[in-house]
Amino acid sequence: MPLHPEIARFLATLPAPPEGPLDPVAMRAGDEAHVAPLAERLPLHRVEDLTAHTASGDVPVRVHTPTEADAHGVIVYFHGGAFFLGSLETHDHVARSLAKETGLTVVSVGYRLAPEAAFPAGLDDCHAVVRWAAEQGEVLGWDGTTLAVAGDSSGGNFAAAVVARAHDEGFDRITHQILYYPSLDLDFDEDRHPSLRENAVGYGLETAGLKPFNAFYLDSGADPADPRVSPLKRADLSGLPKTLVVTAEFDPMRDEGELYGKRLREAGVEATVARYEGAGHGFVQHFSWIPEYHEVFARTRDFIAGKA
C-alpha cells in the first residue's frame, strides 16, 4: 500500500535539511520544543522522576505507573534518537501509552547521549537500569513476573544489545524484548539490505542520512562490526527471551529488523515480526495518534500476555 496519507501530508510540510554538519545541541533543543505540555499528556495513576543508583552511575529514570494496584509487571524502555537525540520528555507520550495499554509499569531511561558520552556509556546505563529495576521491587511495585525490555529505533538497538549481554552474564530475569523499527546493523552499505535501496528517498528517514545521523555514536568508539553495536551481527541468538519486532513498510531499516526476527526463530527463540503497512520509520513516536498505528500498543499488550 502507499505511504499513509497523513504521514505523506506531514512530510510534505518539512523544510529541506540544513546544509553542513549536524548540530546535536540545536537539534535536541528543536525536539524539546515540540514536547506536549504536561496538562495535555495521557493521565496515569502516577508518573515519577527518580534516580537509579547503578553500577554505571546515577541514571535518571521516569516511572510510569498505570493504576493504583499494589504491583505490576515492568517494562524498561529506551527511547530512540540515533544515540544523540531524545530524552525522557520527547518520548514521554510513548512511555505513557505503553503503560496505559499494557497495564504495566514503564521505566523510561534517560541514558547518556553521544557525542558527549562515548561508547559504551549509553549502553552501560541501559543495561545497569535493567539490573536496577530487577532489584527495586518495592520501589517500583514490581510483581516479580514480567520484566520486559523495549526500545524504538536506536533504543531498539540498545534493547537488543542489553538482552544479549544479560543472557551472556547469566541474568535470566528478562522475560520479553520488544523492538520498534530497531536499528540493528550500523553497517549502512546499501547492498546489505534491500530496504536501504527501496526506501532510500521520500519517506522521512533517508538512507543517505543514516551515516551522518549515527556518526556521533560511531565516532565515539562504537564499531559497527561489534555485536554490541550491531546486534544483528551476533553469531548465536539462542537462549534469548521471546521477542516482538515491529517494522515499518517504508523504513530503510525494515529488513534488518525482519532478518533479526527470522534469525531468532532459526535459533529456537519465540519471535513475532509485525510489519505496519503504509508506515515509515518513527511512526510509534510521531504518528501513534493515527488509530491503525496506535494499535501497536495493544499488540504489545497481547504479545506480553501471550495472546499474539
Side-chain angles (χ1 to χ4, degrees):
M1 64 180 294
L3 187 66
H4 192 287
E6 293 291 339
I7 297 178
R9 276 194 284 271
F10 173 77
L11 294 180
T13 68
L14 295 179
E19 296 182 1
L22 301 178
D23 182 342
V25 174
M27 294 178 71
R28 290 171 194 154
D31 271 3
E32 298 287 338
H34 292 95
V35 170
L38 184 60
E40 297 177 8
R41 301 183 196 181
L42 181 68
L44 297 172
H45 173 63
R46 183 172 62 251
V47 177
E48 185 177 13
D49 286 342
L50 300 176
T51 299
H53 303 292
T54 77
S56 186
D58 289 349
V59 183
V61 298
R62 179 166 294 171
V63 181
H64 303 77
T65 306
T67 70
E68 61 182 357
D70 291 336
H72 304 80
V74 167
I75 300 172
V76 181
Y77 167 68
F78 312 136
H79 66 77
F83 308 99
F84 79 99
L85 291 171
S87 69
L88 298 178
E89 290 294 331
T90 62
H91 288 66
D92 183 69
H93 61 297
V94 177
R96 286 173 183 259
S97 291
L98 266 177
K100 181 74 171 181
E101 294 296 332
T102 65
L104 305 181
T105 294
V106 175
V107 179
S108 186
V109 182
Y111 57 84
R112 288 171 288 175
L113 301 174
E116 294 88 349
F119 172 84
L123 179 59
D124 285 348
D125 288 351
C126 292
H127 174 264
V129 170
V130 173
R131 292 277 197 155
W132 172 86
E135 298 168 354
Q136 300 298 316
E138 185 173 344
V139 172
L140 299 178
W142 182 38
D143 61 12
T145 57
T146 298
L147 179 60
V149 174
D152 64 292
S153 192
S154 57
N157 174 295
F158 277 164
V162 164
V163 164
R165 177 174 170 181
H167 172 73
D168 292 345
E169 293 177 352
F171 179 77
D172 61 359
R173 306 301 298 275
I174 300 172
T175 58
H176 306 75
Q177 66 170 333
I178 300 143
L179 312 178
Y180 301 124
Y181 38 80
S183 172
L184 298 174
D185 186 357
L186 271 65
D187 178 350
F188 301 119
D189 179 353
E190 292 185 23
D191 291 330
R192 291 187 62 76
H193 306 291
S195 58
L196 288 169
R197 299 187 301 274
E198 295 169 6
N199 299 324
V201 177
Y203 301 113
L205 176 66
E206 301 195 342
T207 298
L210 294 175
K211 287 184 179 178
F213 264 76
N214 287 275
F216 295 115
Y217 188 54
L218 298 178
D219 291 349
S220 79
D223 179 358
D226 185 338
R228 296 176 299 165
V229 176
S230 296
L232 188 60
K233 297 183 185 297
R234 181 178 171 89
D236 182 6
L237 299 179
S238 63
L240 299 183
K242 59 183 178 179
T243 301
L244 172 64
V245 182
V246 169
T247 64
E249 180 181 10
F250 295 111
D251 183 357
M253 296 189 292
R254 179 196 68 208
D255 290 351
E256 61 201 70
E258 295 181 359
L259 178 58
Y260 183 70
K262 177 176 182 288
R263 289 195 55 224
L264 283 171
R265 289 193 294 266
E266 291 171 347
V269 176
E270 182 181 339
T272 299
V273 176
R275 180 190 293 188
Y276 278 71
E277 305 297 332
H281 189 82
F283 76 89
V284 174
Q285 180 190 3
H286 298 297
F287 298 103
S288 59
W289 52 270
I290 299 175
E292 53 264 51
Y293 298 147
H294 188 81
E295 186 272 343
V296 73
F297 300 113
R299 184 186 292 270
T300 302
R301 175 199 66 214
D302 291 346
F303 165 74
I304 293 174
K307 298 178 181 178

